Amino acid sequence: MAYTEAQKKASIKYISEKTDDIRLRVPKGLKEKYRMEAEKRGTSMTQFIISAVDEKIEREDASNE
């Protein structure tokens, strides 16, 4: 089944309303390292990075209490 123009518009609308975009630049080679680590854990690179940031925030919040 083909991807329709209506589906495309709905996807664009959802993304613009429900998500924020964060651009991350890293030194050459780190992207592949992060991708491989995420793959080892059975997750996407995006989710791997989000989890790492959340974990750091929680750890620092706990140590400040």
Side-chain angles (χ1 to χ4, degrees):
M1 182 157 79
Y3 190 63
T4 67
E5 192 62 31
Q7 288 171 317
K8 180 180 174 181
K9 285 181 181 180
S11 293
I12 291 169
K13 181 180 178 191
Y14 177 84
I15 289 170
S16 68
E17 290 178 357
K18 304 291 184 184
T19 66
D20 286 324
D21 187 42
I22 300 173
R23 185 168 293 237
L24 179 66
R25 296 188 188 276
V26 296
K28 289 270 185 195
L30 277 184
K31 179 181 176 182
E32 184 62 18
K33 178 182 177 181
Y34 296 164
R35 187 194 63 74
M36 290 174 61
E37 288 300 321
E39 193 174 283
K40 281 186 208 175
R41 291 162 174 77
T43 190
S44 69
M45 187 170 55
T46 299
Q47 190 55 53
F48 176 69
I49 293 168
I50 290 169
S51 295
V53 171
D54 285 345
E55 184 178 309
K56 181 165 180 64
I57 291 168
E58 289 173 14
R59 203 173 29 231
E60 288 181 0
D61 284 351
S63 70
N64 290 331
E65 291 179 356

